[in-house]
Amino acid sequence: MSAGDDNHHNDDHDHDHQHANSRPLSDPELRVKALESVLVDKGLIDPAAMDALIENYETRVGPHNGAQVVAHAWSDQQYRQRLLEDGTKAIAELGFSGMEGEDMVVVENSATVHNVLVCTLCSCYPWPTLGLPPVWYKSAPYRSRVISEPRKVLKEFGLKIGDDVEVRVWDSTAELRYMVLPERPPGTDGMSEEQLAALVTRDAMIGVSLIPAPKI
Amino acid sequence: MNGIHDLGGMHGFGPVDAEADEPVFHHDWEKRVFALLVPLSAAAPFCVDEFRHAIERMVPASYLQTTYFEHWLHGFEMLALEKGVVTTEELRNGHAAAGSKPGTPSVLASAVEKITTTGRSARVDAEVKAKFKEGDMVVVKNINPPTHTRMPRYVRDKLGCIDRDHGVFVLPDSAAHGKGDKPQHCYSVYFSAQELWGTKVSRNDSVYVDMWDDYLVPA
């Protein structure tokens, strides 16, 4: 099994609680339970704070936030300009800020440039706008290959980039967090921001896919 | 350090396996690991650079055989032990040793919203002179520190160009080892794909890497 593969083909996929009494606990289950218990025993952590953190990143924070940023940029040229000049500030205008998005840079796709994001050294990712990263983004295959053979990796995602287009790979080695502003698809004139946001995908904001024209 | 975490350009890991409609977490234990980051980094305490370095110090074979949240768990255990917040005996027993002094949680549930929406920027509000400006040609130093660095191996000794100056930031190479912030300019540096990977790759393509003044010399 390759590195970073989170055993996501297992039967117990997201249903640990249902099996908790019928099978032995796994190594990481035992270890995190022990660590949490010791820290709670010592009064150093508040389990309710942990619950609040989980809830926050399972519900409030996610790619639906980034989709609003993109839809707004598509609808308002001045906002698009502000977003490209100072990503942090412009994203905060829509209410998104904070952990793993303190300093944001937005890079724009066009007919001649295609941007794609990676963190080869760990798995840095813009949480406030995109949520927590998917397993493949954190995996060894993606981190090792997209930097040196981006066109092949993009093809595996079903995205063929023309030879005349420049592929720019952004390796987030510092505390800047990147987000791709995808191209607005054709056939979306007159759509509301809400309708546009519904078209925007997480993968397009990472740069491993484009946003197709809506089906009529 | 030239660790196993520095994956850029390596071969042999196979195709990217993207799961459709992936949940935020795949197991309940992953949620508990994730949720330790904020409270433990305040209780231990440690900075993000120390956390990354703890993961980089994993045994390489073990790093490749375990998942992302197992890496985090390893980092938390290592830092909690090194900072003297827990003992190996306590982790084995799953409860605090008798007579250990009761502490106070640094992070309460009521503070979570503010903490997550504010974060902690690594930007430093200090007047530091930039060594380079947009358009300057630079060469990445060829250094191989056994300590923490955010300079990936694939850019060492390569020719690049300053694309933009992000401003003044904490230097991880220093902060990860408790040696202070050593604030300095951090830039996005452009490299042509051919400079990094040879003439068989597209001459149109490029790679942008964020790097600090300490990593670069004038070309």
Side-chain angles (χ1 to χ4, degrees):
Chain A
M1 191 163 286
S2 64
D5 186 326
D6 269 15
N7 302 328
H8 55 255
H9 302 301
N10 283 2
D11 295 336
D12 64 349
H13 190 156
D14 205 33
H15 294 290
D16 292 353
H17 53 285
Q18 289 173 9
H19 298 266
N21 297 323
S22 58
R23 61 167 178 78
L25 297 181
S26 67
D27 170 74
E29 276 176 294
L30 286 168
R31 282 163 54 203
V32 73
K33 220 180 238 298
L35 180 58
E36 184 182 337
S37 301
V38 173
L39 294 166
V40 171
D41 258 8
K42 295 192 170 198
L44 291 173
I45 58 167
D46 173 16
M50 293 175 67
D51 295 339
L53 282 156
I54 295 163
E55 209 242 322
N56 190 50
Y57 287 95
E58 276 194 317
T59 57
R60 277 193 289 281
V61 181
H64 51 278
N65 295 351
Q68 285 183 49
V69 173
V70 170
H72 194 45
W74 284 346
S75 309
D76 180 338
Q77 278 305 309
Q78 286 177 344
Y79 181 75
R80 175 183 152 272
Q81 208 53 48
R82 294 202 294 282
L83 185 66
L84 297 173
E85 276 164 18
D86 186 341
T88 315
K89 225 177 178 174
I91 289 167
E93 282 181 38
L94 301 192
F96 311 122
S97 62
M99 272 174 60
E100 292 300 310
E102 291 93 342
D103 294 279
M104 289 291 300
V105 176
V106 178
V107 289
E108 186 181 38
N109 282 351
S110 68
T112 52
V113 175
H114 182 83
N115 296 283
V116 59
L117 316 179
V118 67
C119 172
T120 61
L121 296 175
C122 46
S123 297
C124 296
Y125 193 74
W127 293 3
T129 42
L130 296 197
L132 301 185
V135 167
W136 62 259
Y137 182 87
K138 304 178 282 192
S139 72
Y142 185 74
R143 286 166 50 199
S144 61
R145 294 179 51 219
V146 79
I147 199 82
S148 56
E149 45 183 30
R151 288 169 187 268
K152 276 190 195 164
V153 171
L154 294 176
K155 217 183 264 176
E156 287 169 23
F157 279 91
L159 177 56
K160 182 143 178 16
I161 303 288
D163 292 342
D164 52 336
V165 174
E166 176 188 351
V167 175
R168 290 183 186 167
V169 187
W170 297 82
D171 190 355
S172 44
T173 48
E175 294 306 322
L176 288 307
R177 294 292 169 270
Y178 290 84
M179 180 180 142
V180 174
L181 176 58
E183 273 194 285
R184 180 172 177 160
T188 56
D189 288 355
M191 275 192 171
S192 69
E193 277 191 36
E194 205 180 343
Q195 288 170 317
L196 290 170
L199 302 176
V200 179
T201 63
R202 175 198 69 197
D203 286 2
M205 293 184 282
I206 300 173
V208 294
S209 75
L210 305 180
I211 298 172
K215 292 191 186 89
I216 303 161
Chain B
M1 63 184 284
N2 293 341
I4 192 63
H5 65 287
D6 187 359
L7 291 171
M10 285 180 75
H11 292 135
F13 292 112
V16 179
D17 181 14
E19 179 187 354
D21 300 320
E22 185 178 332
V24 178
F25 299 102
H26 289 81
H27 304 279
D28 284 342
W29 68 262
E30 294 183 339
K31 301 180 189 180
R32 303 316 287 177
V33 172
F34 170 75
L36 277 172
L37 175 65
V38 169
L40 184 58
S41 64
F46 56 83
C47 67
V48 67
D49 306 301
E50 289 175 285
F51 179 45
R52 292 200 184 108
H53 190 51
I55 290 171
E56 291 160 11
R57 288 182 285 150
M58 284 180 80
V59 172
S62 168
Y63 181 96
L64 292 177
Q65 283 167 347
T66 51
T67 64
Y68 175 76
F69 284 113
E70 286 175 280
H71 296 173
W72 278 37
L73 179 56
H74 170 93
F76 294 154
E77 289 169 336
M78 188 179 243
L79 288 166
L81 288 166
E82 288 178 356
K83 302 278 180 177
V85 175
V86 301
T87 64
T88 44
E89 199 186 356
E90 287 174 326
L91 287 186
R92 202 166 42 236
N93 297 335
H95 55 80
S100 59
K101 280 190 203 138
T104 316
S106 330
V107 176
L108 296 174
S110 55
V112 162
E113 194 186 339
K114 184 162 194 303
I115 290 169
T116 53
T117 56
T118 307
R120 186 187 291 175
S121 175
R123 193 182 286 282
V124 181
D125 187 15
E127 285 290 324
V128 180
K129 201 171 172 299
K131 286 192 189 158
F132 304 99
K133 60 181 189 307
E134 194 182 313
D136 282 356
M137 299 302 288
V138 290
V139 172
V140 183
K141 289 180 186 173
N142 183 9
I143 53 168
N144 290 267
T147 45
H148 182 66
T149 186
R150 295 291 286 178
M151 182 204 287
R153 267 174 284 194
Y154 71 83
V155 291
R156 294 181 194 168
D157 222 14
K158 300 295 185 186
L159 176 70
C161 178
I162 302 287
D163 172 66
R164 67 185 85 179
D165 182 347
H166 295 301
V168 178
F169 282 81
V170 172
L171 181 72
D173 309 47
S174 173
H177 298 283
K179 293 185 174 169
D181 288 350
K182 209 176 173 190
Q184 53 191 269
H185 282 257
C186 179
Y187 313 88
S188 199
V189 182
Y190 157 92
F191 299 90
S192 81
Q194 291 202 342
E195 167 72 7
L196 300 179
W197 312 111
T199 52
K200 285 190 174 170
V201 301
S202 167
R203 61 183 308 139
N204 285 337
D205 296 350
S206 54
V207 172
Y208 290 73
V209 185
D210 286 334
M211 303 218 272
W212 288 258
D213 266 324
D214 268 16
Y215 293 3
L216 304 168
V217 292

